[in-house]
Amino acid sequence: MAKVYAMIADGTEEVECLAVVDVLRRAGIETVLVSAMDRLDVVSSHNIRIQADAAVSEVDFSDADVIFLPGGMPGSEHLSGCAPLIRALEAQNAVGKRIAAICAAPAVVLGRHGFLRGKEAICFPGFEEELVGAVLSKSKVVTDGNITTAKGVGVALDLGLELVRLLKDWETAEDLKRKIQYA
């Protein structure tokens, strides 16, 4: 079974995180919500308290099929400054395993740390200059090699469905799309 580690930090955009987590779990994909903070209780960008399943210090990311980074501010800044997460992303990328990010996270985390060089990517408008070395996509969700990026909260379900397609198959993603009444 595929396994996804979905990161969360104080200031994470909750819909971007939880919509993707929900879609993945509905598809039967093991998804672990990981706090980048020193505690499990996180406060989202709109002051919603969310309890993570694990803290970053407790997680061995070596079994990850995907490490997922939601956006939001200052959540993306917290993720970018989380040394254990950056090391896990480096290891994930070195072996060509999947990384996904949405909104500010493609720029603030992946772009700043050099993961997007030569890749087509998208982010929330206004953060494009931090997509260091990337080719700016016009798509709402784009997968280039092992990295999938998405524009923002309005396409969180699309990102979740793209990850289902990548981890399972197109038919599972389409069936789930129908079941959740996604037009």
Side-chain angles (χ1 to χ4, degrees):
M1 176 193 306
K3 188 169 193 176
V4 175
Y5 288 103
M7 301 305 300
I8 191 166
D10 286 342
T12 292
E13 209 299 325
E14 59 277 357
V15 172
E16 292 169 358
C17 182
L18 298 179
V20 172
V21 169
D22 179 90
V23 168
L24 293 170
R25 288 183 177 177
R26 284 175 191 257
I29 296 168
E30 183 180 358
T31 307
V32 180
L33 193 57
V34 180
S35 171
M37 311 307 289
D38 59 356
R39 62 195 183 291
L40 296 181
D41 188 41
V42 183
V43 180
S44 73
S45 62
H46 295 98
N47 296 312
I48 297 171
R49 292 196 175 280
I50 300 169
Q51 178 97 20
D53 300 315
V56 69
S57 60
E58 304 167 336
V59 175
D60 173 6
F61 291 93
S62 64
D63 64 345
D65 292 291
V66 178
I67 298 175
F68 164 56
L69 312 169
M73 293 299 274
S76 294
E77 293 286 356
H78 288 303
L79 296 180
S80 186
C82 180
L85 171 60
I86 301 306
R87 286 192 299 273
L89 290 169
E90 289 168 344
Q92 187 87 349
N93 196 50
V95 295
K97 291 172 82 179
R98 296 199 175 282
I99 296 169
I102 187 171
C103 191
V108 174
V109 183
L110 300 182
R112 279 187 194 168
H113 292 277
F115 293 101
L116 298 177
R117 293 189 198 292
K119 300 270 187 187
E120 186 178 4
I122 190 65
C123 65
F124 190 81
F127 288 89
E128 295 90 351
E129 70 182 42
E130 293 202 61
L131 291 176
V132 179
V135 176
L136 184 62
S137 177
K138 294 185 191 238
S139 299
K140 294 177 183 177
V141 177
V142 61
T143 297
D144 188 343
N146 66 314
I147 297 184
T148 301
T149 54
K151 196 168 189 175
V153 69
V155 297
L157 291 175
D158 298 276
L159 175 57
L161 291 165
E162 172 71 354
L163 293 176
V164 169
R165 183 188 71 77
L166 292 167
L167 294 171
K168 288 200 159 188
D169 54 47
W170 182 85
E171 293 80 14
T172 302
E174 285 299 308
D175 185 53
L176 184 56
K177 190 175 180 181
R178 182 185 52 76
K179 285 179 180 175
I180 64 172
Q181 305 294 300
Y182 186 75

